[in-house]
Amino acid sequence: MKTLAVRTLYLTFAVAWLYCPGKVVAEYGDFSSDSLQGFYDYIHGQEMVKVEAGGPLRQAVEAVPIDLGTAIDLEQEAGLRDWLYDFLVAFSASGNDSLAAAFYLREGVNNPALNRDDPALFEAIKAAHQQTLADLDCDYFFANVSFVDSEFRVFAMQEPYDSYQSYAQTHGMLPKGLTTRILPLRGEVEEHLAEDEQMVFADIMFIVEEPEEFTAFETPGRTPSFFRLAWDPKRAVWRIVEAFFSSGVPQQFLFGIF
């Protein structure tokens, strides 16, 4: 199970994010304030929805508004909501190793050369997910989620890539302190844009809370989570391009096995 070193490292990172002077989140509408305590009060004052497979979570996901900067069809819209629902469920108490592996493999593990139908690969990813849970001494990752300030921001891009982190920073949304940023498909996206292809993206922010029984703190950790998805017309699937978040809830597991 989780070693003392792993537990201490996570505790150190999370304490640094919560309490280090000057590590605050800038303005995001009502998302934050000019003080760390204000931000902490904000995220812990959110109305949360239990992450559990079934009607209540599905209804909450369906209620997340979509800001259409470019047109998408019904398949793409349904795909966005399915991605969010499946992501949360796969890593909740309703999830299991098979659902986690299926979520990773829906994108080809961000590697088109991998055979998503290979049983050996599926089993290897299941085993990697099991090991990650064991290393972090938990059975699952997400207990609750808030969509209070969430929306899918859909837009097209046909120019040099403009990162979500850059957008978040210029719009006062970027979590400061320890932030993890993953760009698993950045190179592929930039190649398509360099060839003057138009691509469709969707940005989404939501707040997740870790399970109370696995927290290292008196109060379960919460953190805003930012994802950018790109529509892959060949596979007819949304794929993760960027993800970044503060360390209040460990999410590095999402990409550590890729």
Side-chain angles (χ1 to χ4, degrees):
M1 301 302 282
K2 186 190 294 180
T3 64
L4 178 61
V6 172
R7 184 184 297 274
T8 302
L9 182 62
Y10 169 56
L11 180 64
T12 301
F13 283 169
V15 168
W17 171 71
L18 289 174
Y19 298 111
C20 281
K23 297 187 184 300
V24 300
V25 176
E27 183 181 359
Y28 177 83
D30 295 329
F31 175 55
S32 63
S33 72
D34 58 359
S35 73
L36 182 57
Q37 186 61 49
F39 168 64
Y40 184 85
D41 291 343
Y42 172 80
I43 62 172
H44 284 276
Q46 294 302 298
E47 179 182 352
M48 306 296 284
V49 176
K50 186 174 183 179
V51 180
E52 181 179 58
L57 179 63
R58 172 60 76 175
Q59 291 168 13
V61 169
E62 293 292 332
V64 174
I66 298 180
D67 178 14
L68 289 176
T70 191
I72 59 174
D73 60 30
L74 292 178
E75 178 187 19
Q76 291 170 298
E77 179 177 339
L80 279 178
R81 300 194 187 282
D82 287 345
W83 179 90
L84 181 55
Y85 178 85
D86 292 346
F87 164 65
L88 292 169
V89 169
F91 302 105
S92 73
S94 295
N96 53 50
D97 298 327
S98 293
L99 285 179
F103 181 83
Y104 288 126
L105 285 172
R106 72 191 298 161
E107 304 187 24
V109 199
N110 285 316
N111 185 341
L114 293 176
N115 181 1
R116 291 183 291 170
D117 298 321
D118 182 356
L121 177 61
F122 189 81
E123 292 301 318
I125 292 180
K126 285 173 60 178
H129 180 66
Q130 291 171 353
Q131 186 60 54
T132 301
L133 291 173
D135 290 343
L136 292 172
D137 195 14
C138 60
D139 296 335
Y140 59 99
F141 295 104
F142 302 143
N144 299 297
V145 63
S146 171
F147 300 128
V148 170
D149 287 320
S150 301
E151 68 175 6
F152 291 103
R153 188 177 69 93
V154 178
F155 60 98
M157 192 185 304
Q158 191 175 9
E159 55 193 32
Y161 184 73
D162 184 11
S163 75
Y164 190 15
Q165 183 181 9
S166 174
Y167 175 89
Q169 187 169 11
T170 57
H171 287 72
M173 298 157 49
L174 188 66
K176 299 188 185 301
L178 181 69
T179 299
T180 300
R181 180 170 63 105
I182 310 295
L183 302 175
L185 297 179
R186 174 90 175 242
E188 181 180 329
V189 165
E190 289 184 340
E191 287 180 8
H192 285 300
L193 294 176
E195 295 172 356
D196 203 31
E197 293 184 28
Q198 185 179 81
M199 298 188 66
V200 177
F201 299 87
D203 294 344
I204 178 75
M205 184 283 297
F206 48 91
I207 296 172
V208 292
E209 180 179 74
E210 66 179 342
E212 184 176 3
E213 60 266 40
F214 304 126
T215 186
F217 306 100
E218 182 177 348
T219 302
R222 294 182 181 181
T223 185
S225 304
F226 297 81
F227 286 86
R228 170 170 287 176
L229 310 177
W231 176 251
D232 185 334
K234 293 182 179 179
R235 294 192 178 123
V237 67
W238 292 96
R239 303 174 66 189
I240 301 172
V241 179
E242 292 187 51
F244 53 96
F245 27 78
S246 49
S247 61
V249 176
Q251 296 187 52
Q252 290 85 343
F253 70 90
L254 285 172
F255 310 100
I257 67 173
F258 282 13

